[in-house]
Amino acid sequence: MLDKYPDYRIVCLDKLTYAGNLSTLAPVMDHPKFRFVKADICDREAVNQLFEEEQPDIIVNFAAESHVDRSIENPGIFLETNIMGTAVLMDACRKYGITRYHQVSTDEVYGDLPLDRPDLFFTEETPIHTSSPYSSSKASADLLVLAYYRTYGLPVTISRCSNNYGPYHFPEKLIPLMIANALADKPLPVYGEGLNVRDWLYVEDHCRAIDLIIHKGRVGEVYNVGGHNEMRNIDIVKMICKELGKPESLITYVADRKGHDMRYAIDPTKIYNELGWLPETKFEDGIKKTIRWYLEHRDWWEKIINGEYQEYSPTSF
Ligand code: DAU
């Protein structure tokens, strides 16, 4: 964004919880048009102060507790950050005035699709039908966003995206976790039988979609963002083993996630028709690029793995 819009000033507000890492921002930290602020979106005072100082035009809410397994262990923080944090941000938008509030949401608000119906996809009209505390918190936030549009006329948009992958992905998620474990010759924990399907999208394709929506999307609208790139978990893990020259014997089947969604698949017709967006990165290329990034940035993720993350997950080995 800094390269594409040299006139923009970009402010990043982040609480830096376990998944936040300032080294991720190292490439832009000294940019004259960039400012980082450590704060919590639930902290009304801090948010209002920032709005007063910066008078932002566009707010993009990427902030969320995002990990399904963690939400099963501890739903409360998901309700606070994902729902209340969204309300605090939108209240500030109402108070100080903005031209656009964009909510980064998820395809998980639609629940899941059966494996034996490959003809079914999530459209923007698919009913909300959540499975986990995480997806319920995101769906609740979406409803609030639409309510602020209807009740207060706040100029909002929502994007519901499928699974992202790429550089800087926190190694609690499937792809970076498998890369990190495989490189350390540790077991690769596959939930259940590994047959669950996700619709993978390279992170830069997602960001391109958000850029289009905030500048050209219609206010009050929801846009599904997906890759038409459905893959079974087990096939991804095998692909990572092959790329890294590691044996498939590392694969270890572990207890299934509670309430585990079977299949996500996005129909991106609306964003294609209205904004001309299509994913550009083929999965075969994206996964190679991603693996190369993890090989070249061991420093970034090894620090994370040696720290708090290791204490958290019973399946992180
Ligand atoms: O669909 C978008 C969503 O994708 C986002 O809204 C979420 O914030 C994001 O976390 C992601 O949710 P998933 O639950 O699909 O992602 P995760 O990487 O946790 O898991 C992907 C699949 O891999 C899922 O079927 C569970 C499985 N899995 C995951 C982990 C971490 C395993 O089999 N073993 C594992 O160790």
Side-chain angles (χ1 to χ4, degrees):
M1 292 295 274
L2 286 164
D3 286 344
K4 189 170 172 191
Y5 302 101
D7 293 345
Y8 283 19
R9 175 169 165 80
I10 303 218
V11 179
C12 172
L13 180 150
D14 196 303
K15 190 182 177 186
L16 294 183
T17 60
Y18 77 93
N21 187 345
L22 265 194
S23 65
T24 303
L25 290 174
V28 292
M29 214 49 162
D30 295 329
H31 195 290
K33 294 273 192 177
F34 179 79
R35 177 180 172 197
F36 174 77
V37 176
K38 183 175 183 312
D40 184 346
I41 56 166
C42 295
D43 181 345
R44 204 172 280 276
E45 216 174 293
V47 168
N48 284 349
Q49 190 186 324
L50 187 58
F51 270 70
E52 255 166 49
E53 284 169 19
E54 296 286 348
Q55 296 168 13
D57 304 306
I58 302 174
I59 301 295
V60 183
N61 183 13
F62 281 101
E65 290 289 339
S66 73
H67 199 50
V68 174
D69 295 323
R70 287 180 189 255
S71 82
I72 294 168
E73 293 300 316
N74 178 17
I77 183 73
F78 284 74
L79 309 186
E80 279 165 35
T81 298
N82 298 358
I83 306 173
M84 284 313 297
T86 297
V88 168
L89 277 181
M90 289 195 300
D91 285 341
C93 291
R94 286 178 56 218
K95 184 168 178 187
Y96 296 96
I98 41 98
T99 56
R100 178 65 61 93
Y101 173 88
H102 181 74
Q103 179 77 0
V104 178
S105 185
T106 170
D107 58 357
E108 295 199 16
V109 301
Y110 300 121
D112 64 351
L113 297 164
L115 287 184
D116 60 357
R117 289 293 306 274
D119 55 314
L120 295 180
F121 295 92
F122 297 138
T123 72
E124 291 78 2
E125 271 69 53
T126 302
I128 301 286
H129 188 77
T130 55
S131 310
S132 69
Y134 160 69
S135 54
S136 306
S137 70
K138 290 297 286 180
S140 307
D142 283 12
L143 295 178
L144 258 189
V145 172
L146 294 174
Y148 272 54
Y149 169 63
R150 169 122 185 204
T151 306
Y152 306 116
L154 195 72
V156 306
T157 39
I158 297 176
S159 53
R160 294 184 178 144
C161 189
S162 56
N163 283 63
N164 281 211
Y165 71 100
Y168 297 109
H169 205 182
F170 191 78
E172 66 185 349
K173 312 288 189 200
L174 180 76
I175 290 180
L177 176 72
M178 295 300 160
I179 295 172
N181 278 17
L183 285 173
D185 295 307
K186 289 182 176 171
L188 308 177
V190 171
Y191 298 166
E193 294 178 88
L195 302 179
N196 307 64
V197 169
R198 297 292 182 266
D199 182 0
W200 294 92
L201 183 71
Y202 193 66
V203 59
E204 284 174 10
D205 282 331
H206 182 195
C207 293
R208 210 163 32 78
I210 292 172
D211 181 9
L212 275 171
I213 295 168
I214 61 177
H215 290 101
K216 298 194 178 129
R218 283 185 297 134
V219 161
E221 293 293 318
V222 173
Y223 293 91
N224 281 356
V225 184
H228 268 315
N229 180 52
E230 291 177 52
M231 305 270 301
R232 299 190 311 177
N233 295 339
I234 187 65
D235 296 330
I236 292 194
V237 178
K238 285 183 179 169
M239 204 180 230
I240 291 171
C241 288
K242 191 165 169 228
E243 267 314 303
L244 290 174
K246 298 290 180 181
E248 287 184 11
S249 56
L250 288 176
I251 295 174
T252 308
Y253 292 93
V254 299
D256 210 350
R257 174 183 280 173
K258 290 190 184 92
H260 199 172
D261 282 337
M262 278 320 297
R263 170 177 168 247
Y264 303 146
I266 287 268
D267 175 355
T269 305
K270 179 172 173 180
I271 190 168
Y272 174 67
N273 285 346
E274 285 192 20
L275 305 175
W277 179 90
L278 274 180
E280 285 174 4
T281 313
K282 285 202 205 98
F283 189 76
E284 307 82 80
D285 301 334
I287 192 76
K288 280 187 192 148
K289 259 206 285 194
T290 303
I291 290 174
R292 209 176 317 127
W293 188 90
Y294 279 85
L295 284 169
E296 287 165 2
H297 294 81
R298 277 176 174 266
D299 232 38
W300 182 86
W301 55 268
E302 275 178 349
K303 268 195 220 129
I304 293 169
I305 284 187
N306 296 333
E308 195 267 349
Y309 177 57
Q310 200 62 350
E311 286 158 31
Y312 150 69
S313 174
T315 54
S316 67
F317 298 95

